[in-house]
Amino acid sequence: MTNHFCGECGSLVYRTSSGYPGFALKVGNIDSERQDGGKVNKEYIPDIEIFTRNRAPWITPVKGATQAEADFTKEFLARYSG
């Protein structure tokens, strides 16, 4: 697993791994507006939410996103990528 950090503040932004396709983006780190005035939050809608068992009760699930109570497993990814 490789962690990728913000070059300005050092916050963890995303992770990549040879064991999983794609990457895990920490969406809380994304600004809600782009430099050109566009809305980032309308462009980056999660496909999967992980660790939902720890979701705060006032946070609602992302509409249409697959819900995973824990982290990805190979079995979960096999079912998800169907």
Side-chain angles (χ1 to χ4, degrees), residues 5-63:
F5 300 93
C6 174
E8 290 187 33
C9 71
S11 295
L12 176 62
V13 179
Y14 68 99
R15 290 183 170 140
T16 56
S17 171
S18 60
Y20 301 111
F23 58 93
L25 178 66
K26 307 294 184 179
V27 296
N29 291 329
I30 299 176
D31 288 337
S32 62
E33 294 189 19
R34 298 187 321 222
Q35 294 283 344
D36 64 6
K39 296 288 186 183
V40 171
N41 57 355
K42 294 191 184 289
E43 295 176 25
Y44 296 103
I45 300 171
D47 293 327
I48 304 170
E49 288 190 87
I50 59 174
F51 297 111
T52 59
R53 69 173 178 247
N54 298 328
R55 184 191 337 256
W58 60 87
I59 304 293
T60 58
V62 174
K63 185 177 180 180

Side-chain angles (χ1 to χ4, degrees), residues 1-4 14-24 71-72 74 77:
M1 181 177 302
T2 304
N3 293 320
H4 301 268
Y14 68 99
R15 290 183 170 140
T16 56
S17 171
S18 60
Y20 301 111
F23 58 93
D71 197 359
F72 302 124
K74 289 183 181 182
L77 287 173

